[in-house]
Amino acid sequence: MAQQVAATEQLLEYVRAVSLRDEPLLAELRQETAELPAGEAMQVMAEEGQLLALLIGLTGARSVLEIGTFTGYSTLCMARALPADGELVTCDLTDRWPSIGAEYWKRAGVADRIALRVGDGTATLDALLAERGPECFDFVFIDADKANYSSYYERSLSLVRPGGLIVVDNTLYFGRVVDPDADDQDTVAVRELNARLRDDERVELSLLVMADGITLVRKRP
């Protein structure tokens, strides 16, 4: 039986060479983000952005919710994959970093598909639920502060339609999830969410050993 292949740097370079379809605008935004404090660690990899776009197309999503915008790279990847009348609501605690991405959204011609909500994440999700009602999104991407991951997940499950997809980023959290000495709030929160997802009969799931861990969660019809 084949086992997990070790992801050496040489192998990762090969994977990028044969599967990544990068574009100058995307690369430019990644570079600008990488120059920010902790920017490279906080933004999604190019491969993950491409995966998100693929998943948008596969699911036929027309309405997307993103929790955690940062500089809007993943926002841009997903918005470009939406149909012309699609909508992406992206949420962040501040408009400081999303304002960087906003210029790229305009240049890509997708700014009209994107609505930025600024404020506390849990409060924003509660407001969306009150405004739009449950099951109003086809697709949710969670990539925000880890301490509130369980809160974001529960609200996302209410907001996504049956059969819809929730994608949770950083579910291996720099490998700290298996470090017995790692007991910081963020690592503990990611471990707790992973355990909750495993036992949640409301959903189907798969944790991809890619990037920093990407969990795909499908809400059962």
Side-chain angles (χ1 to χ4, degrees):
M1 181 182 296
Q3 300 296 314
Q4 180 74 36
V5 175
T8 64
E9 187 58 37
Q10 183 180 16
L11 188 58
L12 288 174
E13 287 296 332
Y14 173 78
V15 170
R16 294 184 186 109
V18 299
S19 69
L20 180 60
R21 296 177 175 177
D22 207 3
E23 295 183 19
L25 186 66
L26 296 174
E28 186 180 340
L29 178 52
R30 285 202 314 277
Q31 181 58 43
E32 183 170 352
T33 302
E35 294 169 1
L36 299 172
E40 199 163 13
M42 290 180 64
Q43 78 168 346
V44 304
M45 294 171 60
E47 295 91 329
E48 184 173 358
Q50 184 168 298
L51 173 64
L52 290 168
L54 177 64
L55 291 172
I56 295 286
L58 284 173
T59 58
R62 306 179 71 84
S63 56
V64 174
L65 171 62
E66 179 181 44
I67 306 167
T69 315
F70 192 37
T71 61
Y73 179 79
S74 52
T75 316
L76 177 58
C77 291
M78 292 188 290
R80 293 170 73 247
L82 284 170
D85 61 348
E87 178 193 27
L88 191 158
V89 177
T90 186
C91 313
D92 208 280
L93 187 62
T94 173
D95 62 0
R96 179 182 180 184
W97 308 121
S99 65
I100 295 173
E103 294 303 313
Y104 290 85
W105 304 341
K106 291 177 184 176
R107 289 168 58 188
V110 296
D112 61 334
R113 303 176 194 176
I114 301 169
L116 173 66
R117 296 278 189 122
V118 175
D120 174 79
T122 299
T124 298
L125 298 180
D126 286 341
L128 284 169
L129 191 58
E131 293 169 17
R132 303 189 179 204
E135 303 177 357
C136 55
F137 288 98
D138 301 315
F139 188 103
V140 181
F141 179 48
I142 303 175
D143 183 20
D145 56 296
K146 312 312 169 197
N148 286 305
Y149 256 27
S150 288
S151 173
Y152 297 154
Y153 167 68
E154 284 299 328
R155 285 163 172 79
S156 295
L157 199 59
S158 296
L159 285 162
V160 76
R161 64 168 172 80
L165 188 66
I166 300 173
V167 180
V168 188
D169 199 17
N170 304 116
T171 48
L172 295 180
Y173 203 55
F174 305 103
R176 293 174 64 84
V177 289
V178 295
D179 181 354
D181 295 324
D183 59 358
D184 58 281
Q185 185 181 31
D186 289 341
T187 303
V188 170
V190 172
R191 286 195 196 110
E192 289 176 350
L193 177 62
N194 288 339
R196 175 182 297 204
L197 290 173
R198 177 197 60 205
D199 298 332
D200 192 345
E201 294 298 328
R202 298 172 295 177
V203 301
E204 301 165 342
L205 80 155
S206 178
L207 198 169
L208 306 182
V209 186
M210 173 184 178
D212 191 31
I214 305 168
T215 300
L216 309 183
V217 185
R218 180 175 179 264
K219 183 175 180 178
R220 293 186 187 274

